[in-house]
Amino acid sequence: MAKKKTWSTDTHSFRSDSGEAPAPLPGCVVHVVMGDSAGQKLELVKGMATLGRGDSCELTLEDRRISGRHLSIEVVEDGFLVSDLGSKNGTYYLGTRIQSAVVPLGATLRVGETRLLLSSRQPPRDDLYSKRSRYGALVGSAPSMRRLYATLERLEATDYTTLILGETGVGKELVAREIHRHSPRAKGPYEVVDCASLTPTLIESELFGHTRGAFTGANTSYDGAFKRAHGGTTFLDEIGELPLELQPKLLRVLESHQIRALGSGDTIDVDTRIIAATNRDLETAAEEGRFRKDLFYRLAGMTIVVPPLRERREDIPMLVQALLEDMGAKDVKLAPATLEHFMTGSAWPGNVRELRNALARFRATGATPLEFGSDTDIATEVSLPLDTNKSFQQEKKRLMDSFERDYLSRQLSQADDNISQAARASGMERTQFKRLLKKHGLI
C-alpha cells in the first residue's frame, strides 16, 4: 500500500457562489509518479519539507541515485521553492539541473530515477465538488474544475438565466453548450450571437429580427436569434460589448419574454433561455455607467466562473490528449519531458485556446513552449536552450522564427482569432500579418 505522510495541516473555507472564483487550497501534494517509490505522496500545506533516502526526510525515497537529503520543497507566495541540498546527481526541472527554482503547481521534478509531480491538494468531500473528471466536452479533474462541474450539475434541472465569467480562451462557450446539452431544453435549438463582432444595427437585427424594408438593404424579413431559439437556448457571447442603447431591449426580453422585430409594431412571445458570457468586469462597468445595473443584476442571477489554465496545470496532460483527439491525432503521445514543457513552460495567458495553438505548432515544427519563446511566470534558472553546434546565423533564425510564431499566436488568441483585430494590435498590415500566419502554419 502506498505510504502517505502529512507534513502540515491547515483549514480552508470556500467563498459562496457569488461570482467569485474559490480561493485555491494552499500548498500541494508531492506525488511520486515514477521510480521504486511510485505511489507515495506527501501533503505539503505550509513550511518546508525535505526529500531523500534518509529516514529523517519528510518523504523517504527508495532510489540508489538519490542522496540522503537530496532536495527541499518550500511553500512560498509565488509557488514552491525547490532547492537542491548539495546532492551528487542533481535535481532537474524542465530538463535543466537547478540549484534553486520557484515552480508552480503541475511541475515535475526529476531526481535520480524518480519523478515527482506537484499537484493540487484534494478538497474536502462535500457537495461543493463533483467526483467527475469530465463534464461532456469539458476536461479536467483539478479541484477548481470539480467545483465547476458541481455547479453545472445543480443547474441541470433548472432554466436559470446564467452569466459565465472567465478570461479569454478558458472555454466559456464550451460551458454554455454543456449547460444547454444537460438542460430540459437539450432537444431545442441553440443559437449563438457574438456581440463583439457586429455593428449595433446588425446586432439588433441578429437578436430581434427585422421586417422587409426595415432599413436599407433589408430586402426580405429575417427571424432573429431569440425567435430562432424558441424552445431552446440563446448564447450571448461577449455580452459586455452589447451597446448601451440595446441593453433595455434585452432587459425587456428577460422580463416579459417578448420581442419586437425591427420595422414591426407587433410583439412576439419567445421562449428561450439566455446564457451570456464575458471576460470583462461587468460589475465595475455597471458601477461606472458603462453597463446597465438592472441588466447586470438580471443576468447575474446565476454566475459561473471558469478557472484559468494556470490555476489547473495538472489538467494539462488530460487536455493535451483531448485536444490531440480533436485534431485527429489521438494516437500521438507526448514524451514525458515534452509534456513537462507544456505543463510548466508557459504562463498560458491565452488559456486552453493558446494550448491548442501550441499543440498545433508542436505537431508542425516540434517546438515546445520554452522553445517558441512563451513568457513564463516561473522564476527559475531555466533559459531558452541554445544549440551551439549551429552557426550564429542559423541559431538566430531559429530563435527569431520561434519568437514570430509565439507573438503571432498570442496576438491571434487575444483577438479571439480575429485576424484584422490582431493585426491592428500588433501594428502590422493585415496582409503582412496573414502572410506570417501562413508562413508559420497558424492558419
Side-chain angles (χ1 to χ4, degrees):
M1 180 181 294
K3 295 184 289 183
K4 177 180 177 180
K5 295 183 181 179
T6 300
W7 175 232
S8 181
T9 58
D10 201 357
T11 58
H12 182 76
S13 59
F14 288 95
R15 303 174 194 170
S16 62
D17 290 334
S18 60
E20 297 182 35
L25 285 166
C28 69
V29 178
V30 183
H31 291 271
V32 184
V33 294
M34 186 181 297
D36 291 341
S37 297
Q40 289 196 56
K41 61 181 69 174
L42 167 70
E43 188 170 2
L44 180 60
V45 178
K46 58 185 177 181
M48 182 178 71
T50 57
L51 295 78
R53 294 184 67 186
D55 291 337
S56 63
C57 295
E58 281 69 53
L59 182 59
T60 302
L61 302 170
E62 300 297 330
D63 186 332
R64 60 184 178 80
R65 297 189 61 200
I66 290 179
S67 301
R69 285 170 55 85
H70 195 103
L71 75 154
S72 66
I73 303 175
E74 181 180 0
V75 179
V76 295
E77 183 177 356
D78 297 329
F80 305 93
L81 176 62
V82 178
S83 301
D84 187 87
L85 303 178
S87 69
K88 180 179 179 181
N89 292 316
T91 300
Y92 289 80
Y93 173 57
L94 292 174
T96 300
R97 185 167 181 166
I98 61 172
Q99 292 301 316
S100 182
V102 176
V103 305
L105 282 171
T108 301
L109 307 171
R110 178 167 62 83
V111 290
E113 302 297 331
T114 300
R115 283 184 184 269
L116 308 168
L117 171 66
L118 277 58
S119 67
S120 301
R121 293 174 56 221
Q122 290 302 302
R125 293 180 178 272
D126 56 32
D127 59 0
L128 290 177
Y129 294 90
S130 172
K131 296 180 180 179
R132 299 175 185 246
S133 60
R134 300 184 69 131
Y135 188 90
L138 299 172
V139 176
S141 58
S144 58
M145 289 300 288
R146 289 176 51 205
R147 183 179 174 101
L148 172 63
Y149 300 157
T151 301
L152 295 177
E153 288 168 357
R154 293 196 294 271
L155 275 177
E156 288 179 359
T158 73
D159 207 28
Y160 296 143
T161 298
T162 304
L163 179 63
I164 305 172
L165 304 177
E167 298 176 5
T168 295
V170 293
K172 297 185 291 295
E173 183 173 353
L174 205 58
V175 172
R177 286 186 180 276
E178 291 306 328
I179 291 174
H180 171 73
R181 288 171 179 164
H182 288 81
S183 76
R185 295 176 178 267
K187 294 182 179 180
Y190 179 81
E191 292 289 332
V192 179
V193 179
D194 184 352
C195 299
S197 64
L198 301 171
T199 64
T201 300
L202 290 178
I203 291 178
E204 186 171 8
S205 174
E206 180 60 28
L207 289 174
F208 303 99
H210 63 254
T211 60
R212 180 180 179 183
F215 53 84
T216 302
N219 299 321
T220 59
S221 295
Y222 178 74
D223 289 338
F226 290 135
K227 185 175 181 180
R228 298 196 306 269
H230 187 80
T233 301
T234 304
F235 174 53
L236 304 180
D237 199 11
E238 300 300 341
I239 188 67
E241 307 300 326
L242 187 69
L244 270 171
E245 60 267 27
L246 293 183
Q247 293 178 21
K249 292 189 175 184
L250 175 57
L251 183 63
R252 194 174 304 122
V253 175
L254 289 167
E255 292 178 342
S256 68
H257 305 287
Q258 292 182 328
I259 62 169
R260 180 179 296 163
L262 278 170
S264 173
D266 300 326
T267 58
I268 303 172
D269 292 333
V270 291
D271 173 25
T272 181
R273 178 187 193 169
I274 293 178
I275 301 174
T278 182
N279 60 7
R280 295 186 178 276
D281 183 351
L282 279 195
E283 187 170 8
T284 298
E287 291 296 330
E288 295 176 352
R290 293 180 286 110
F291 197 88
R292 287 184 63 108
K293 283 187 178 181
D294 47 3
L295 178 57
F296 167 70
Y297 291 128
R298 191 62 188 256
L299 289 171
M302 171 58 70
T303 303
I304 294 174
V305 181
V306 185
L309 186 56
R310 64 181 174 276
E311 292 182 4
R312 57 183 192 105
R313 294 175 189 266
E314 63 263 48
D315 284 341
I316 289 179
M318 192 185 304
L319 279 166
V320 163
Q321 203 53 47
L323 291 170
L324 286 172
E325 289 177 9
D326 287 343
M327 296 176 188
K330 64 180 181 180
D331 294 330
V332 174
K333 303 291 183 183
L334 269 60
T338 302
L339 198 54
E340 286 178 36
H341 283 232
F342 276 87
M343 290 179 72
T344 53
S346 172
W348 299 117
N351 293 292
V352 179
R353 184 183 291 121
E354 184 187 1
L355 175 63
R356 183 184 183 90
N357 290 341
L359 280 171
R361 276 175 285 169
F362 173 76
R363 290 187 65 203
T365 67
T368 62
L370 283 182
E371 292 169 326
F372 54 65
S374 294
D375 292 334
T376 177
D377 57 3
I378 308 164
T380 74
E381 298 173 350
V382 178
S383 60
L384 190 68
L386 296 176
D387 187 352
T388 54
N389 292 321
K390 292 182 179 180
S391 69
F392 173 81
Q393 290 298 332
Q394 288 175 322
E395 190 63 358
K396 180 180 178 181
K397 182 181 184 302
R398 184 183 73 83
L399 294 175
M400 286 301 297
D401 284 345
S402 295
F403 161 74
E404 283 185 4
R405 282 194 302 271
D406 189 51
Y407 180 84
L408 295 168
S409 177
R410 284 170 182 261
Q411 287 286 17
L412 195 61
S413 177
Q414 290 170 7
D416 290 335
D417 296 327
N418 185 311
I419 294 176
S420 298
Q421 184 178 333
R424 286 194 299 271
S426 64
M428 300 167 64
E429 294 293 334
R430 187 181 187 278
T431 53
Q432 180 189 10
F433 192 87
K434 190 172 182 179
R435 178 177 60 80
L436 289 172
L437 290 176
K438 289 182 177 178
K439 170 187 172 183
H440 295 291
L442 297 177
I443 58 173

